[in-house]
Amino acid sequence: MIPATMQPKPLPTSEQPVVAIIGGGVSGAGVAYHLARANCGKPAIVVFEPRAELGRGLAYDTADPAHRINVPAAKMSLQPDDLGEFLAWIEARDAVAGDPEARQPDGSLFPRRRLFGEYVASLLKPLLEDGSVRHCRAAVTAVEARAGRWSILDDRGGVTEADIVAIATSHPPPIAPGRLATRLAAHPRFVADTTKPGVLEVIRPQDRVLIIGNGLTAADVIASLAQRGHDGPVTAISRRGLRSRGHAPVPQELFGDFVSDAAHSAVSLLRGIRAAIGAAKAQGISWHGVIDQVRAQGYDLWQALPVAERRRLVRHLRPYWDVHRFRIAPQVEAVLDAAVAAGRLDILAGSVADARIEGEFILCTLHPRHQRQPLERRYDAVVVTTGPAHGGILETQPWLAALATDGHLSLDPTGLGLACTERSEAIGPSGKADPSLLISGPLARGTFGELMGLPQVTEHAFFIAGEIAEKLRTSATNRHPA
């Protein structure tokens, strides 16, 4: 749990303070939901989100039936203190009646991902109806500091004045390695961004497919192709050739203690985790229990590491963490297992050295890891699934770049997103924090550590809402002293 912090600085606010939240996915919707329910007066809460509903974002706006939540429904909730709320919501509506594959033999539920978006949207609905939260269905084009407040311009010509801004934008799209994006842009079956709806429809059932990346997105792509009847050969290439792991057959107890004598280097942390996995195995507990304990203690572990060691961890150990921490749903794991068993899926450690269009085909030069000789392979389609390019977040939207140019934002030194304090206040290039500009969700993980999993995202949204509420209460007291 993110610890309580010192009293925030007071803010100069109007009689009815305005809080603007940019991004209406789970992170932004969560901040709005918890702030509207907090005891901090009646601030005007405006969420900027182009989608029709709040709470979906990139992850939960998918209509693809192959896309499933990667965590059992019993562990997913917008409420940090009520993890069973989503499961109760499903059961009250019999929401998986048309999805017989959702329920696993042990009774756990892994429903389609869109269902979680429906659940979050349903929690926001009454707040939208009574005016506690306003949904501005527009994309932000500029955010400017003016006379102690923020002016937010959107693509529908609106201008909103706000006292506090929370940046809760979507993950940035992946970046194709090297020159691939320019070399292959003209090919009809080069898929550079799988987050766009319907992009896999160009891939034909017998196509030979190269997938660059081998994490959760790659697993989703393979499952989606299988759902559509694709049975051609697939090569999934990543630097280390690590495939996403699945869940333990039965729930595992948390195992290990990594904070009593916290590691101060990436190497010592790795050594401690390996030792704990060995000790757990001797007691009949799988590695899942150890990794889950590391996740549970992740904030304190991250804070104990100097910035140089955080960078080293990200550079060398992050791929191993990702495949063990971010597990795939059993239904997706079964698809991958079947493809490997049938010889249709080849998982390769290496890199794509070059690629070019050759008629209808894409000719790729692959460099397998630990081999001198490159491989020349011909594919019908290439799909990029390298994961969000958080280090390039400032280039993804002009208003973010402008905020950085104006001295309000800077990249986190670990390359995981935007720099912020332990109160999630944005840090500019000068090193000074702005108490009226907050970073919510995965873009803050350079400071907070593990912020990609749903439980941590919802917990952080609750934390951000609490921070904003306290700022508003402090400001109100300063305006109207007893």
Side-chain angles (χ1 to χ4, degrees), residues 18 31 39 67 82 92 105 111 139 147 181 209 222 233 246 254 267 275 314 319 340 359 369 397 413 419 438 454 480:
V18 179
V31 173
N39 180 24
H67 290 174
D82 184 7
V209 181
I222 294 167
L254 297 180
V267 170
V314 170
V340 170
R369 198 174 187 189
Q397 299 190 62
L438 290 90
L454 192 279
H480 307 291

Side-chain angles (χ1 to χ4, degrees), residues 255-319:
F255 187 93
D257 177 11
F258 302 96
V259 295
S260 296
D261 185 19
H264 297 287
S265 73
V267 170
S268 59
L269 177 59
L270 176 62
R271 189 180 298 122
I273 292 172
R274 284 176 169 168
I277 289 174
K281 185 177 180 181
Q283 296 186 30
I285 299 173
S286 76
W287 58 263
H288 300 79
V290 176
I291 296 299
D292 288 345
Q293 180 72 308
V294 174
R295 176 181 61 80
Q297 299 178 341
Y299 177 82
D300 293 324
L301 289 172
W302 190 251
Q303 299 309 311
L305 293 173
V307 171
E309 291 302 315
R310 293 182 186 182
R311 288 174 172 166
R312 186 169 288 113
L313 188 152
V314 170
R315 187 166 61 250
H316 298 292
L317 300 181
R318 178 182 165 191

Side-chain angles (χ1 to χ4, degrees), residues 16-363:
Q16 186 190 27
V18 179
V19 178
I21 300 168
I22 305 176
V26 170
S27 182
V31 173
Y33 174 80
H34 290 297
L35 182 59
R37 290 156 54 91
N39 180 24
C40 59
K42 290 289 185 180
I45 303 170
V46 185
V47 183
F48 291 86
E49 172 54 58
R51 292 177 175 84
E53 288 186 307
L54 298 182
R56 293 193 178 277
L58 278 178
Y60 305 105
D61 196 34
T62 174
D64 192 324
H67 290 174
R68 295 187 176 273
I69 62 172
N70 294 313
V71 179
K75 295 183 178 181
M76 292 186 68
S77 172
L78 200 63
Q79 316 287 358
D81 58 352
D82 184 7
L83 294 182
E85 186 183 70
F86 177 44
L87 182 60
W89 182 90
I90 291 173
E91 292 174 343
R93 292 159 178 78
D94 198 15
V96 295
D99 182 17
E101 294 182 3
R103 195 173 301 276
Q104 295 301 293
D106 65 355
S108 61
L109 278 180
F110 288 83
R112 290 169 180 150
R113 202 173 297 163
R114 187 173 181 84
L115 195 62
F116 188 78
E118 292 179 15
Y119 150 74
V120 179
S122 74
L123 295 185
L124 268 294
K125 185 178 179 181
L127 300 176
L128 292 166
E129 291 175 344
D130 69 14
S132 300
V133 176
R134 184 165 71 88
H135 177 192
C136 181
R137 194 176 175 186
V140 168
T141 57
V143 179
E144 301 170 355
R146 295 179 183 174
R149 300 184 85 201
W150 297 97
S151 289
I152 302 165
L153 286 66
D154 62 59
D155 62 358
R156 293 193 171 186
V159 179
T160 302
E161 301 292 327
D163 299 285
I164 299 176
V165 172
I167 298 175
T169 54
S170 298
H171 297 302
I175 296 177
R179 298 174 295 170
L180 260 64
T182 53
R183 297 291 295 272
L184 303 182
H187 196 280
R189 286 180 295 281
F190 173 61
V191 181
D193 184 0
T194 61
T195 63
K196 297 178 180 178
V199 291
L200 297 180
E201 292 176 4
V202 298
I203 298 177
R204 301 162 300 191
Q206 300 298 321
D207 279 347
R208 295 163 295 182
V209 181
L210 174 66
I211 298 177
I212 304 172
N214 202 21
L216 292 181
T217 305
D220 277 346
V221 167
I222 294 167
S224 295
L225 289 175
Q227 181 87 24
R228 297 179 60 252
H230 180 266
D231 59 1
V234 176
T235 299
I237 188 170
S238 62
R239 190 165 47 160
R240 293 173 178 83
L242 300 172
R243 175 187 154 182
S244 292
R245 270 57 168 184
H247 294 265
V250 295
Q252 301 291 301
E253 294 180 22
L254 297 180
F255 187 93
D257 177 11
F258 302 96
V259 295
S260 296
D261 185 19
H264 297 287
S265 73
V267 170
S268 59
L269 177 59
L270 176 62
R271 189 180 298 122
I273 292 172
R274 284 176 169 168
I277 289 174
K281 185 177 180 181
Q283 296 186 30
I285 299 173
S286 76
W287 58 263
H288 300 79
V290 176
I291 296 299
D292 288 345
Q293 180 72 308
V294 174
R295 176 181 61 80
Q297 299 178 341
Y299 177 82
D300 293 324
L301 289 172
W302 190 251
Q303 299 309 311
L305 293 173
V307 171
E309 291 302 315
R310 293 182 186 182
R311 288 174 172 166
R312 186 169 288 113
L313 188 152
V314 170
R315 187 166 61 250
H316 298 292
L317 300 181
R318 178 182 165 191
Y320 298 96
W321 169 256
D322 284 353
V323 298
H324 288 87
R325 163 66 185 94
F326 302 111
R327 298 158 202 163
I328 53 179
Q331 301 94 322
V332 176
E333 185 180 21
V335 171
L336 268 63
D337 287 345
V340 170
R344 291 190 297 101
L345 174 59
D346 181 26
I347 296 175
L348 183 64
S351 60
V352 182
D354 200 6
R356 69 176 187 271
I357 299 174
E358 191 178 75
E360 294 185 4
F361 307 110
I362 298 175
L363 187 64

